[in-house]
Amino acid sequence: MHELSIAQSIVELAEEKARERQASAIEELELEIGCLAGVELQTLEFALESAVKGTMLDKARIVRHYIDGEACCGECGTRFPTSALYASCPHCGSWLINILHGKELRIKSIVIK
Ligand SMILES: [Zn+2]
């Protein structure tokens, strides 16, 4: 499952960062998850819950920031919200758009003990 491997790599990365700082546990993990990141949010939640078991993140508070999709038209420069990677500009109808936000899937911050 795609989401499970994402969850595992989030946990691995967080543990790696914590170990670099000689931490014994992670208190809080802040994640940024874009709506266009291509993950099923509920599945990711589920996968995270099982991925943290027995790790330094076992008792950590996981804070999620969901980022809405925003695109910019490559023809006329109009910025508009989008819930799909492929969308047309609401102003001029062009399909030449650039995604500005929403593809994020990363660790924003970690609080260690
Ligand atoms: Zn446009």
Side-chain angles (χ1 to χ4, degrees):
M1 191 187 6
H2 180 58
E3 281 78 8
L4 189 58
S5 61
I6 292 170
Q8 278 163 349
S9 48
I10 289 171
V11 171
E12 274 166 30
L13 191 66
E15 279 195 310
E16 200 181 296
K17 296 272 176 218
R19 263 189 236 112
E20 272 172 22
R21 296 179 180 90
Q22 271 93 44
S24 57
I26 297 168
E27 252 171 38
E28 188 182 288
L29 177 71
E30 246 186 299
L31 296 176
E32 280 188 336
I33 305 162
C35 301
L36 307 175
V39 294
E40 180 60 54
L41 293 182
Q42 267 177 315
T43 314
L44 182 64
E45 294 286 318
F46 226 67
L48 266 174
E49 260 178 50
S50 71
V52 299
K53 293 226 169 74
T55 71
M56 291 168 96
L57 280 151
D58 210 344
K59 297 195 172 61
R61 198 159 65 91
I62 299 178
V63 183
R64 294 111 171 143
H65 298 281
Y66 298 110
I67 298 166
D68 288 335
E70 191 188 10
C72 177
C73 175
E75 300 274 4
C76 72
T78 300
R79 282 179 169 223
F80 58 96
T82 178
S83 54
L85 283 176
Y86 301 98
S88 60
C89 172
H91 185 68
C92 72
S94 169
W95 287 84
L96 270 177
I97 62 162
N98 300 306
I99 300 295
L100 301 174
H101 300 291
K103 283 165 90 178
E104 298 86 346
L105 182 57
R106 62 178 176 228
I107 295 174
K108 194 176 174 221
S109 73
I110 299 171
V111 179
I112 53 174
K113 268 184 196 162

